[in-house]
Amino acid sequence: MAHSRPSTIAIDGPAASGKTTLGGLLAERLGYLFFDTGVLYRAITWAAQGRGLNSSDEAALAALAAELKIDLEVPAVSDGRLYTVRVDGRDVTWEIRRAEVDREVSIVSAYPQVRRALLERQRAIAAGGRVVMAGRDIGTVVLPEAGLKIYLDASPEERARRRYLELRARGESADYQEILARMRQRDELDREREAAPLRPAPDAIVLFTDGLSIEETFAKVWALVENWRQRRGKIEVEEPG
Ligand code: DC
């Protein structure tokens, strides 16, 4: 029997475009696992900094990416987290979101060797299906066969505003202009890199979310999930055989 829901859903898009919030809600509604792949790159960057590795040492960073123990767990604390991230057993959920990690994570994630080391890890997580995976290259590289691909986008100003409010809500100091400048810098690095640059897959549905609340964005995506079989059915009918 044909499935009525996509078994793997890829959500890609630039920093602070709402992938994590949307992905978390979607996974909850579907009873799927939500996996935010940015956590892997952040955890490696955080661990590299702690170990004094140079961010120009691709081989050392790739070795770290291959062996570092990174776990995502259902949270036991309620402080706004969607999941708990552990590196070698230590809770680093908030530490990997700090500005020092933000500053270097785009450099670390641009290295092909680092990406290669993480590719199989990500595919293994999605292998059983029933997963919503968020990142930059999920629809293009990690899961090119994903049943539904969403590319979330928003203007840099809107994304900087969201990040600013998020930081303030956590009681951290934040400067909007600085966040905006960093956001632009990170966008450029993610888009211009050679290895798996940030871009929508040809079969991704692009949603521009400026002016949309999270509820409105969710409603649009949910409609795509609900109509998935119909749309797929159409494609199957159009294709001979
Ligand atoms: O989504 P995020 O801001 O937590 O991601 C952190 C960094 O990791 C981002 O600058 C780009 C990189 N990343 C990536 O290259 N590929 C992914 N699938 C996920 C994140």
Side-chain angles (χ1 to χ4, degrees):
M1 201 182 88
H3 295 289
S4 60
R5 296 265 163 84
S7 133
T8 47
I9 300 178
I11 306 181
D12 290 300
S17 56
K19 303 182 297 288
T20 309
T21 312
L22 176 75
L25 286 172
L26 203 54
E28 192 183 2
R29 175 77 75 92
L30 287 164
Y32 283 15
L33 170 77
F34 173 59
F35 196 86
D36 173 10
T37 60
V39 159
L40 301 175
Y41 295 93
R42 286 177 178 278
I44 289 156
T45 306
W46 175 86
Q49 289 173 342
R51 292 169 193 206
L53 294 185
N54 196 310
S55 64
S56 64
D57 192 345
E58 178 172 359
L61 291 164
L64 186 62
E67 58 90 18
L68 194 68
K69 187 167 160 28
I70 309 167
D71 296 302
L72 261 83
E73 295 169 3
V74 175
V77 218
S78 63
D79 59 357
R81 63 181 64 189
L82 271 179
Y83 39 72
T84 292
V85 185
R86 287 190 191 279
V87 169
D88 288 331
R90 171 168 163 184
D91 183 347
V92 297
T93 312
W94 295 121
E95 277 171 78
I96 62 167
R97 305 262 155 217
R98 297 185 72 93
E100 303 87 82
V101 173
D102 270 4
R103 264 195 284 277
E104 283 194 319
V105 67
S106 286
I107 301 171
V108 172
S109 60
Y111 290 128
Q113 289 183 44
V114 171
R115 306 198 69 84
R116 214 171 301 133
L118 291 180
L119 187 58
E120 288 315 315
R121 278 172 95 150
Q122 295 172 83
R123 286 189 177 150
I125 291 160
R130 299 180 65 85
V131 64
V132 177
M133 197 169 258
R136 300 290 190 289
D137 61 339
I138 309 305
T140 50
V141 176
V142 180
L143 304 175
E145 307 296 326
L148 177 63
K149 299 180 187 178
I150 310 284
Y151 187 90
L152 273 191
D153 210 349
S155 66
E157 291 78 11
E158 171 70 16
R159 290 184 287 118
R161 194 182 66 86
R162 291 179 193 164
R163 185 52 54 91
Y164 171 81
L165 293 174
E166 212 178 279
L167 288 169
R168 292 297 298 267
R170 288 211 303 270
E172 289 184 37
S173 63
D175 178 88
Y176 172 80
Q177 289 304 336
E178 195 187 323
I179 294 172
L180 179 59
R182 287 246 170 77
M183 190 79 79
R184 291 209 159 105
Q185 214 174 21
R186 207 135 76 84
D187 282 359
E188 199 182 311
L189 283 167
D190 291 348
R191 288 196 174 112
E192 305 300 322
R193 72 184 178 211
E194 295 256 323
L198 170 67
R199 64 177 56 132
D203 51 348
I205 292 156
V206 180
L207 284 179
F208 195 74
T209 66
D210 273 32
L212 289 185
S213 65
I214 184 63
E215 290 80 13
E216 289 166 327
T217 306
F218 182 78
K220 283 183 188 288
V221 173
W222 188 250
L224 292 171
V225 171
E226 295 272 80
N227 296 329
W228 177 75
R229 189 154 63 159
Q230 270 170 311
R231 286 193 301 119
R232 218 172 62 127
K234 253 189 224 148
I235 296 166
E236 278 169 3
V237 170
E238 279 161 18
E239 280 171 356

